[in-house]
Amino acid sequence: MSRKTSTRIVAVCAALLTTVSLTACAGGSTTAGSGSKDGGDANTITFWSNHPGSSRDLEQELIDEFEKENPDLKVELVTAGSNYEEVAQRFNAALAGGDLPDVLVASDVTWFNFALNEATTPLDELWEMNDIDSESYVDTLREDYKYKDKHYGVPYSRSTNLMYWNTDDLKAAGLPTDRGPKDWEEFDEWATKIKDKLDKPAVTVPDGSNYLDWYFQGMIWAFGGSYSDEWEPNFTSKESIEAGKFLQDQVKEGHIEISTDPTVAFGSGKASGLLESTGSLGGLKETATIPFITTYLPGPGPSAATGGAGLAVPAGISDERKANAVKFIDFLTNTENTIKFSQKTGYMPVRKDALDDPEEKKFLKENPNAQTAIEQLNENTKPQDYARVFVPGGGQRIGGVLDRITVGNEDVESAFGDLQKETQSVIDRDITPKLK
C-alpha cells in the first residue's frame, strides 16, 4: 500500500501558514500562545487519555513498569474524556489558560488541528536530543503525523475498520464461514439469507455520534464516491448518492442495524455481523458468547480507512517536561509494549520489529483474527477524505447527516445536498482564504 499522507498535507497546507490567524482552519482550537504558562512539575508526567480499547488498566500497568525503570519520574494517568473528541475539547480548554498535560491522545481527526495551530510541539528534535529511534515506527503510521517536514505525533492506538462475522450464523444461513462478502452486492445477498433464515440483522454498526462517518467512508469508496476530492466536497455525486441510498435501503430492509452499542449486540448473538474498529477485537475476545472471524470490508477496494490515535506533546510546556514526555512515549510504544497493547486491545502494533518477535508470531498464528487488520492495512486501505479529517467539524457533520438518512429515513439526495452546501460553506469561510 502506498500512503502519501505527509506529502498531501505539505502540499495542501504550506499556504495556510502564510497567514497570521490559523485558528479557524482546523476546527476552532484556541492557539497555544494563550496557554503557554508552564506551572507543571517536570518530574511528574501527566498523561491525558480516553483509554482506547478499554485499556485503562493496561495503561496503568505500563505506567507502573515505567516508574520502576525511572524512579525519579512519576506518571499521572488522567481520564480526559470518554472518546477522542472529549480529550480534544479538554485540551482546547487548557490552551485557554488551564494546566497543560505532558502527553495527550490525539486522534486521526484532532492531531492536524493541534499541529496547524502550533498547540503541539514538533517531535523530531526531541527524538534526536533524547536518542529515540523514530525510524523504528511503522513508516505508514509514523508519517500520518508529518506536517511541513516535522512530526507532531507518535502512533499509539492505530486501527482500521473490520467486519466481524458470527460463523455459527454463516453456517446456519448456508454461507461461507472462512471469508466475508467480496462486495456490497454480495453483502445484500448474504443479508437476505440471514434475514430469511435467522430473522436478525446481518450487520450492526454504530450511529452517527459514534463514528458511523468513519465506517461509511469505506462503503462510499466502494461505490466509487467519496466525501471529497481534496477540498472539493463530493457528497452529491451520482456514486455518493448511490452509496447513501444503499445504506438507507439496507437499514429499511433490516439488513443493517444502527445501534448505540453494536459490540454488545454482536457479541451476544443479536446480529450476525459487526462493522467496527480493530480496537474492539480485544474486548470481543473476552466477552463474546459466539464464535467469530474478522474480514476485510466489502470491496472493490481500497474500501477501508485507517484511524485511531497517536500521542502528542503540548507546545506550551518546558523543555524539561517535553524531554520527559517523549521518553515516556518511547517506553509506552516500544516493541514489547506495543505488542502487549495490540494483543490486549486489537489495535495494530506500531513498531516495525514487532512482527518479527517470536511471541508475536506465535500470537498471530494462534489468533488469525488479529492478523486481518495488519493485512488489510497493506492491501485495502487509503487516506481519509479531507471533508472528514481536515474540514472543521467534518466527522460530526457527516455523522449527523447519516443519522438523518438511516434513523430518520430522510431523503438521501436532500440530506446529502445539505451536507454538500454546509461543507462548502465551512471550506469557503475557514479554509479558502488561507489557501490564497
Side-chain angles (χ1 to χ4, degrees), residues 216 219-220 234-252 398 400-421:
F216 179 67
M219 182 185 289
I220 204 171
N234 194 43
F235 299 103
T236 54
S237 73
K238 176 184 175 183
E239 295 81 3
S240 298
I241 295 294
E242 183 183 4
K245 288 182 176 180
F246 179 83
L247 174 64
Q248 185 180 67
D249 288 343
Q250 293 296 304
V251 172
K252 286 181 181 179
I398 297 166
V401 168
L402 293 177
D403 276 346
R404 285 170 56 187
I405 68 168
T406 55
V407 179
N409 196 30
E410 292 188 25
D411 178 73
V412 173
E413 292 189 25
S414 176
F416 276 27
D418 291 344
L419 184 56
Q420 178 89 4
K421 292 176 183 177

Side-chain angles (χ1 to χ4, degrees), residues 276-386:
E276 253 285 2
S277 167
T278 58
S280 297
L281 180 58
L284 282 168
K285 281 175 60 180
E286 298 293 328
T287 62
T289 60
I290 47 92
F292 66 89
I293 59 169
T294 59
T295 72
Y296 289 10
L297 270 65
S303 60
T306 55
L311 300 173
V313 176
I317 61 175
S318 69
D319 289 344
E320 186 178 3
R321 288 178 66 186
K322 290 177 182 177
N324 288 335
V326 295
K327 183 177 183 179
F328 171 64
I329 291 173
D330 186 50
F331 177 87
L332 195 63
T333 60
N334 68 24
T335 301
E336 180 182 354
N337 290 333
T338 193
I339 289 173
K340 186 180 294 185
F341 191 83
S342 172
Q343 292 181 2
K344 288 278 189 178
T345 63
Y347 288 107
M348 295 181 289
V350 301
R351 298 277 186 166
K352 293 176 182 176
D353 59 357
L355 297 181
D356 296 324
D357 182 89
E359 290 301 315
E360 177 70 352
K361 287 183 177 180
K362 179 182 177 183
F363 174 82
L364 292 175
K365 185 176 181 180
E366 295 173 350
N367 297 272
N369 282 337
Q371 182 74 28
T372 307
I374 297 170
E375 293 176 349
Q376 182 170 237
L377 174 67
N378 295 319
E379 298 176 2
N380 194 43
T381 62
K382 70 175 183 177
Q384 295 193 57
D385 294 335
Y386 285 21

Side-chain angles (χ1 to χ4, degrees), residues 162-324:
L162 290 177
M163 299 291 284
Y164 297 74
W165 290 99
N166 180 333
T167 50
D168 281 351
D169 281 1
L170 295 180
K171 183 177 180 180
L175 297 168
T177 58
D178 59 349
R179 68 174 181 89
K182 64 180 183 296
D183 53 35
W184 287 104
E185 182 179 2
E186 186 176 42
F187 169 84
D188 181 54
E189 296 170 1
W190 283 32
T192 299
K193 291 181 180 179
I194 290 170
K195 186 70 174 176
D196 289 345
K197 289 185 176 294
L198 304 175
D199 194 28
K200 64 172 70 173
V203 160
T204 180
V205 65
D207 62 17
S209 64
N210 289 288
Y211 308 116
L212 178 57
D213 51 291
W214 185 45
Y215 301 109
F216 179 67
Q217 197 165 197
M219 182 185 289
I220 204 171
W221 288 343
F223 275 79
S226 64
Y227 292 154
S228 61
D229 178 7
E230 295 193 350
W231 296 117
E232 294 292 329
N234 194 43
F235 299 103
T236 54
S237 73
K238 176 184 175 183
E239 295 81 3
S240 298
I241 295 294
E242 183 183 4
K245 288 182 176 180
F246 179 83
L247 174 64
Q248 185 180 67
D249 288 343
Q250 293 296 304
V251 172
K252 286 181 181 179
E253 292 171 12
H255 294 173
I256 293 178
E257 176 186 68
I258 306 297
S259 173
T260 56
D261 205 348
T263 53
V264 172
F266 172 73
S268 61
K270 294 179 180 178
S272 296
L274 170 70
L275 176 50
E276 253 285 2
S277 167
T278 58
S280 297
L281 180 58
L284 282 168
K285 281 175 60 180
E286 298 293 328
T287 62
T289 60
I290 47 92
F292 66 89
I293 59 169
T294 59
T295 72
Y296 289 10
L297 270 65
S303 60
T306 55
L311 300 173
V313 176
I317 61 175
S318 69
D319 289 344
E320 186 178 3
R321 288 178 66 186
K322 290 177 182 177
N324 288 335

Side-chain angles (χ1 to χ4, degrees), residues 58-73:
L58 176 57
E59 287 178 333
Q60 188 59 58
E61 177 185 328
L62 299 179
I63 286 170
D64 293 342
E65 293 174 4
F66 175 80
E67 291 178 340
K68 287 179 183 178
E69 291 189 15
N70 301 274
D72 57 327
L73 297 174

